[in-house]
Amino acid sequence: AAIQTLTGKTLTSPTIQGTVDPGTGLTMPAFTLGGLVSGNSKQITGALVSMVRAYHSATQATTSGSWFECLFDSETFDTDAMHSTVSNTGRLTCVTAGQYIIMGDVEFAANATGQRDIQISLNGSPGAGTQIGAVRVIPHASILNMMQVSSIYTLAVNDYVSLYAFQNSGGALNLSTLAWFSMVRIGA
């Protein structure tokens, strides 16, 4: 691939090529965009970029018939201190106001009884906060019940989002260690 240097040009839809590895996140070569955003294979920083991806390193047990806040004790990346691995570990908190794409993924243990729901909640739990994305599935008996939810939403500074899971199988079900929660600022 040829390298081209642009000086005094405005890029309306720039593309930076890289790869996304499910285990480690974003990988790309080092780059700089007008001194505002720079990055390398492990981190992207700058005025225009605010993103986080958190995950949980162990299974989490859910109780039948109750909403459960998914907790995340580890991070793949966090460019704007939006997640804590110590307190309120289920929250992603907006530090830079703007429009965000918010995404979550959970996998329930195999069990065909009842239903499975996940929800992104803004500034509170289901019923107390604002639901900004939700998915419901009929579960499968012999494989993990994988669910993903996403939403594009405008967040103000100190707004927070949480990922909640629900199941009504009649007993406790584990969420697998594949659960993750992420948000990326996409506009002002």
Side-chain angles (χ1 to χ4, degrees), residues 81-156:
M82 296 185 287
H83 177 258
S84 171
T85 58
V86 178
S87 64
N88 295 317
T89 63
R91 295 181 181 182
L92 303 180
T93 302
C94 178
V95 176
T96 305
Q99 295 169 335
Y100 284 81
I101 184 165
I102 305 156
M103 303 158 282
D105 177 279
V106 299
E107 289 83 22
F108 283 96
N111 180 307
T113 303
Q115 68 191 39
R116 308 294 176 268
D117 297 81
I118 59 172
Q119 164 178 320
I120 299 170
S121 186
L122 173 68
N123 296 330
S125 60
T130 301
Q131 176 185 307
I132 61 173
V135 172
R136 172 176 289 163
V137 300
I138 303 301
H140 194 278
S142 60
I143 60 172
L144 285 176
N145 292 282
M146 303 169 77
M147 302 174 68
Q148 290 187 344
V149 62
S150 63
S151 181
I152 296 175
Y153 205 82
T154 301
L155 300 176

Side-chain angles (χ1 to χ4, degrees), residues 4-10:
Q4 186 176 13
T5 302
L6 302 174
T7 304
K9 306 287 184 189
T10 300

Side-chain angles (χ1 to χ4, degrees), residues 61-84:
T62 64
T63 302
S64 182
S66 299
W67 283 100
F68 171 82
E69 183 180 19
C70 302
L71 303 177
F72 304 97
D73 63 2
S74 304
E75 299 168 346
T76 306
F77 51 82
D78 186 356
T79 66
D80 210 5
M82 296 185 287
H83 177 258
S84 171

